[in-house]
Amino acid sequence: YKPNKFGKTVVLGMEGSANKVGVGVVEYDPTHNTYHILSNPRKTFVAPTGQGFLPAPTAKHHQAHIAALVKVALLEAFPEERQGTNSVQNPQDLISAICYTKGPGMG
């Protein structure tokens, strides 16, 4: 990883091992030795009553929402870097590392 263009370490993390899928952006500021949660949008799969959440429908839910959650997370984390209202300009200059849940889980 590398610090971003502001000298801070910013990590984008994705988690979807159960019925909730989420994306978080966390910043570490070495100057002040502090951590800040910049964004943490989530979507929850709600199964029909009495059925519980099963792997295939839950995975489809997560796949349907993950790209939009990443976009929202970046827009919330970096409002000053917005390009119009729909995207963040050059996110590769802002993110130091990407983390994700590999498993086990719902898919």
Side-chain angles (χ1 to χ4, degrees), residues 2 6 8-9 22 37-38 48 53 56 59 61 65-67 79 81 91-93 100:
K2 63 179 178 56
F6 303 111
K8 299 176 181 178
T9 298
I37 297 171
L38 302 179
F53 58 94
H61 169 270
H65 292 286
I66 191 67
E81 299 292 326
Q92 69 276 9
D93 295 336
Y100 65 95

Side-chain angles (χ1 to χ4, degrees), residues 51-104:
Q51 291 186 12
F53 58 94
L54 301 172
T58 305
K60 285 181 184 177
H61 169 270
H62 291 7
Q63 291 168 4
H65 292 286
I66 191 67
L69 286 169
V70 169
K71 188 174 187 177
V72 168
L74 290 171
L75 289 169
E76 287 178 3
F78 306 108
E80 68 283 353
E81 299 292 326
R82 283 183 177 213
Q83 184 176 7
T85 58
N86 294 325
S87 65
V88 171
Q89 186 173 328
N90 300 318
Q92 69 276 9
D93 295 336
L94 305 169
I95 301 293
S96 304
I98 297 175
C99 304
Y100 65 95
T101 304
K102 185 175 179 182

